[in-house]
Amino acid sequence: MVIQKISLVDLAIDRIKNYIKDQEYKPNDRFLSEKELVAKLQVSRTVVREALISLQTIGILTIKSGGGVYIAEPKLDSITDILKFHYDTYGIKLKELIETREIVEMGALRLIIENNTLADTTELTNLNESYYQAILEKDDPKPYDRLFHQALMKATDNSTYYLFSEIINEYFSFVCIDVKEKEEELLQAYAEHKAIIETIETGNLHEAQNKMKKHFEPIFKLVQQLKETPEDGADSII
Amino acid sequence: MVIQKISLVDLAIDRIKNYIKDQEYKPNDRFLSEKELVAKLQVSRTVVREALISLQTIGILTIKSGGGVYIAEPKLDSITDILKFHYDTYGIKLKELIETREIVEMGALRLIIENNTLADTTELTNLNESYYQAILEKDDPKPYDRLFHQALMKATDNSTYYLFSEIINEYFSFVCIDVKEKEEELLQAYAEHKAIIETIETGNLHEAQNKMKKHFEPIFKLVQQLKETPEDGADSII
DNA sequence: ACTAAAAATTGGTCTGACAATATTATATAT
DNA sequence: ATATATAATATTGTCAGACCAATTTTTAGT
């Protein structure tokens, strides 16, 4: 006996999913209320609620207490949530994660250069200059760094690849320790960004990838120095 | 008023998550029953159930009707579920997905060769030979192809990178149309696998990547010929 | 010791009730 | 007439109790 009998909740989830597809809802649209779904699906409120919660969990719906049910904004929170739990519970090596980022961004360079999807490097340059300004003004430059790398990934003109890179980056920013870099190192990163942009413009893939690799070296070294420090005491649910 | 008051369900989810971490459960271990959780968390069964369902949805727990709650096997089903919905609802371009696979596998070659993580290419060869046998015996060779590419990704010795590649492949096998390839094409693929292995052994990254790129060309061309055929009629929930 | 029936456990679903929150309608003041 | 405060309504959150269905455990009989 392997077959799992399908529960009403699972059925409800499926129906609601299909309904959302067919109705061509847009994010933030108001969805049906629990009451309406009870009438429509002919099941108890319990079942409807459990289905809605499941759909909220995977980021399809948003339930506002007292305010109704809405179509969720397409985000990756639910995916990164899962990965976070994975990380906490089963452990993931930081070194691996950074290496993954590195490889993914080097791959992005290939897409950009081979497919020639980046006609205009102005935006990248602007973002990097914002990064530079933030450094000089002692602001936190990290958001700009993030934007720079995001723009680079977007320049692949492959939204799927970009999607996965975002998952990885989300995951990374959750996992990664918050390193305070020295101004000297930040300026170095700025220069490397600049060099990468210029190399993209020349169309030299091999060179661009090498520069990207260099760009990742500092963080790589940093991580390899870190010790794994797993120490917790909490035990019961509280 | 931006702050969302935290619901009891969300609290329960958090507590349970932490409890699982602390108790060092293993997959398939029996977890606490609803009743026990009610007693432990001091909330109603409704809240416990909704929390459990949420945790089941993201693949942390498995609820067996009448049989109790269990720690789920770490799988990516929940993630691919989310992506599937994304695909159905917002659409994802097949061409992009294949390009993503291509880039990811080319990146894998870099990791393998640069880090020299693949001391022994025997397993890859064996899997490829199984692929060959399946072709000759008119079996479905796809599973062996899948195994070959999986082994390649594992050879990066980066479980995180492997994890992401699995997400992509799961996603791909869901999305992708089931193409029946001719024996001629299958044998071609076999030969390309073989060539890739040999090039890995020589340590020539550039060459290996080129061969991988060639290996993806057929499926690439196939997809670009396909027309988008969105045609459905269903409207209401049923 | 093995098997089959009975009992207990556990999850699945339903109903009704009330509380907490958000939205909408109404009344009031300017 | 418009803006604001208040009341009414709608909606989700939580609880309790009941019964059904599936599973597991116990018991009884051979």
Side-chain angles (χ1 to χ4, degrees), chain A residues 2-20:
Chain A
V2 189
I3 302 165
Q4 273 274 22
K5 195 192 169 190
I6 298 169
S7 68
L8 289 183
V9 174
D10 288 336
L11 267 179
I13 290 173
D14 240 49
R15 289 181 181 181
I16 295 174
K17 270 188 184 173
N18 285 325
Y19 184 71
I20 294 174

Side-chain angles (χ1 to χ4, degrees), chain B residues 4-172:
Chain B
Q4 274 272 24
K5 195 192 169 188
I6 298 168
S7 68
L8 288 183
V9 175
D10 289 335
L11 266 179
I13 291 173
D14 239 49
R15 288 181 181 180
I16 295 173
K17 271 187 183 173
N18 286 325
Y19 184 70
I20 293 174
K21 277 183 227 162
D22 296 338
Q23 296 299 113
E24 294 182 5
Y25 279 107
K26 288 171 196 166
N28 296 318
D29 278 357
R30 181 158 198 171
F31 191 59
L32 306 176
S33 69
E34 291 183 358
K35 199 178 174 183
E36 291 168 316
L37 283 169
V38 166
K40 197 148 194 153
L41 300 177
Q42 293 284 302
V43 291
S44 71
R45 196 183 155 204
T46 310
V47 170
V48 168
R49 276 190 60 81
E50 293 184 353
L52 289 179
I53 286 193
S54 181
L55 290 168
Q56 172 169 257
T57 301
I58 59 178
I60 291 178
L61 294 176
T62 302
I63 307 171
K64 291 183 187 175
S65 174
V69 183
Y70 296 80
I71 304 293
E73 200 111 24
K75 290 208 168 186
L76 302 172
D77 296 13
S78 37
I79 291 180
T80 45
D81 262 13
I82 298 170
L83 291 174
K84 281 175 195 171
F85 182 81
H86 245 269
Y87 174 74
D88 288 337
T89 310
Y90 303 106
I92 281 202
K93 287 134 197 160
L94 204 50
K95 179 228 163 201
E96 288 189 357
L97 189 54
I98 291 169
E99 192 175 67
T100 300
R101 273 194 63 193
E102 183 189 77
I103 287 290
V104 166
E105 299 217 0
M106 287 168 84
L109 291 175
R110 177 182 287 273
L111 286 180
I112 292 170
I113 291 176
E114 285 192 351
N115 300 351
N116 200 22
T117 52
L118 185 59
D120 188 8
T121 52
T122 312
E123 196 198 344
L124 279 178
T125 302
N126 289 342
L127 285 170
N128 195 36
E129 289 306 320
S130 300
Y131 181 63
Y132 183 61
Q133 288 302 320
I135 297 169
L136 293 186
E137 290 164 23
K138 312 288 185 190
D139 285 345
D140 183 13
K142 277 201 204 71
Y144 296 101
D145 182 60
R146 174 79 188 265
L147 282 174
F148 175 81
H149 285 275
Q150 273 179 327
L152 196 74
M153 294 306 301
K154 276 184 189 159
T156 61
D157 200 36
N158 181 326
S159 58
T160 305
Y161 195 65
Y162 175 72
L163 184 82
F164 281 105
S165 82
E166 276 298 283
I167 295 177
I168 293 167
N169 279 320
E170 274 292 317
Y171 192 19
F172 179 75

